[in-house]
Amino acid sequence: MWQSITKQISECMDTPFTIEKRQLLLHNEDSNYYRITDQTRDISFVIRITPKSLSTKFDIVTRNQALMADWLTSPKIILYGSTSDQCFVVFQPFEVKDAQPTSDEWYDLGKRFAGMHKNCQQGMYGWEEDTYIFQQIQPNRWQKNWASFFSEQRIGWQLQLHEEKGKHLINISDMTSVIHRLLHHHHPEPCMLHGQLLPDNILTTDDGLFLPDNACYCGDRELDLAWLAAFSPDQTDFMRGYQEVWPLPHGHDVRQVIYTLYPLLVQLHNDPVVETRVQHQIALILAI
């Protein structure tokens, strides 16, 4: 694999390139990010490698990353290639820090997300194609009603996936009806969502925080924020930056209780321990 990648990079650069050092920067469920270095020529790149069996998701994530580049840190891609069993993208060199994001970096990311959310010209909820959340299909059929979209294509869909795996969490029809009722009078402006704002999906770079994976669609901006609320112990600096650019509307705290169920249901596929939190979140929603 590495020999083929080296050959394709050399052809793209029109100059020899040899991988003499390889450093793993980030590992997630389906991809690895490496820094590859030719120490003799003092040249390095960052490369994302994904199994070819996941090439559809790989293509979607790569395309959507480019769509968000006006607002979020997104290193420029210089080569898109494949080997016999892997697909990969090579990015222009960027410096990755071996450190946790600082308060200022979280603050900047909050401002960037708010800017992206404010600049969407779509009038409906959904996306031009289904996307992937981790390795699961995320349906994005266009709908005009947000309560219907979220209750059916987010919560109902996830509950059905768990049912098919033999995990009964709650009656699907009952839960989707409750959520539809709670969101019935909420008509948010459709915003372009990143879809995977997770602390584990962040690389700290000199140009800002880079979120390699995504699951884009147009929806309520508060759902992007629910991902961070679900899995980050402190969102203070991020929210300070976000609120400066685009303050959240009345009722956000209550809706966050509803929206947090979605990232928890997604995470439950990979971590059975999350089921306790899922059941607690369901109870909170039913108590609203």
Side-chain angles (χ1 to χ4, degrees):
M1 176 187 76
W2 290 109
Q3 184 176 0
S4 176
I5 290 173
T6 298
K7 181 175 183 292
Q8 292 179 61
I9 292 175
S10 297
E11 291 173 351
C12 175
M13 294 173 54
D14 198 25
T15 188
F17 178 81
T18 303
I19 300 175
E20 297 174 333
K21 183 179 179 182
R22 191 168 69 235
Q23 176 190 3
L24 180 64
L25 300 174
L26 179 70
H27 168 76
N28 59 30
E29 189 181 31
D30 49 43
S31 297
N32 287 321
Y33 280 77
Y34 294 92
R35 178 185 300 284
I36 52 176
T37 304
D38 184 329
Q39 294 174 308
T40 302
R41 298 175 179 83
D42 193 25
I43 302 172
S44 67
F45 299 101
V46 173
I47 183 170
R48 173 180 181 163
I49 300 176
T50 303
K52 251 186 180 174
S53 59
L54 299 172
S55 60
T56 301
K57 175 185 175 178
F58 178 84
D59 292 343
I60 293 171
V61 167
T62 303
R63 286 198 304 272
N64 290 341
Q65 200 171 76
L67 291 177
M68 295 183 286
D70 286 344
W71 302 283
L72 304 183
T73 298
S74 184
K76 184 179 178 181
I77 294 173
I78 61 173
L79 174 62
Y80 184 105
S82 64
T83 67
S84 60
D85 59 350
Q86 304 285 329
C87 44
F88 66 89
V89 287
V90 178
F91 298 92
Q92 270 189 345
F94 61 92
E95 193 60 39
V96 178
K97 304 175 186 177
D98 186 18
Q100 292 298 311
T102 65
S103 295
D104 287 345
E105 287 168 334
W106 277 117
Y107 169 77
D108 177 67
L109 186 64
K111 294 180 70 174
R112 288 172 181 260
F113 260 78
M116 180 178 73
H117 288 164
K118 286 186 76 172
N119 286 275
C120 182
Q121 306 301 316
Q122 181 53 247
M124 297 177 69
Y125 309 106
W127 201 241
E128 61 190 21
E129 60 188 341
D130 292 341
T131 47
Y132 285 80
I133 186 71
F134 300 124
Q135 292 186 15
Q136 307 151 29
I137 288 284
Q138 179 174 254
N140 292 315
R141 177 173 51 86
W142 291 110
Q143 289 185 251
K144 293 182 178 180
N145 184 281
W146 172 247
S148 297
F149 179 91
F150 181 74
S151 62
E152 297 167 9
Q153 297 197 59
R154 291 298 176 262
I155 301 304
W157 174 263
Q158 281 296 320
L159 290 173
Q160 182 61 42
L161 290 180
H162 286 294
E163 285 277 356
E164 292 171 1
K165 293 181 177 180
K167 186 180 293 295
H168 177 76
L169 298 167
I170 190 172
N171 181 277
I172 298 174
S173 179
D174 290 348
M175 194 67 208
T176 55
S177 294
V178 167
I179 289 177
H180 191 283
R181 173 178 57 80
L182 292 172
L183 295 175
H184 179 65
H185 297 293
H186 182 53
H187 306 289
E189 180 179 336
C191 299
M192 182 174 178
L193 305 187
H194 178 277
Q196 214 165 317
L197 177 54
L198 285 164
D200 289 345
N201 184 38
I202 288 178
L203 286 175
T204 306
T205 80
D206 282 348
D207 295 324
L209 301 183
F210 170 43
L211 286 77
D213 217 350
N214 62 66
C216 294
Y217 61 99
C218 291
D220 186 352
R221 60 190 175 120
E222 296 174 20
L223 188 49
D224 249 357
L225 309 183
W227 279 88
L228 196 61
F231 298 111
S232 178
D234 184 7
Q235 313 99 48
T236 305
D237 296 308
F238 177 93
M239 291 307 302
R240 180 166 55 89
Y242 190 97
Q243 295 270 40
E244 282 186 15
V245 176
W246 196 9
L248 292 168
H250 176 73
H252 162 69
D253 291 345
V254 174
R255 288 188 296 274
Q256 187 173 85
V257 173
I258 300 169
Y259 291 157
T260 299
L261 179 59
Y262 180 59
L264 291 177
L265 286 172
V266 172
Q267 190 66 22
L268 180 58
H269 292 285
N270 303 320
D271 185 1
V273 175
V274 177
E275 184 171 354
T276 301
R277 291 189 63 190
V278 168
Q279 293 292 1
H280 176 67
Q281 206 67 31
I282 289 173
L284 290 176
I285 293 170
L286 295 177
I288 296 175

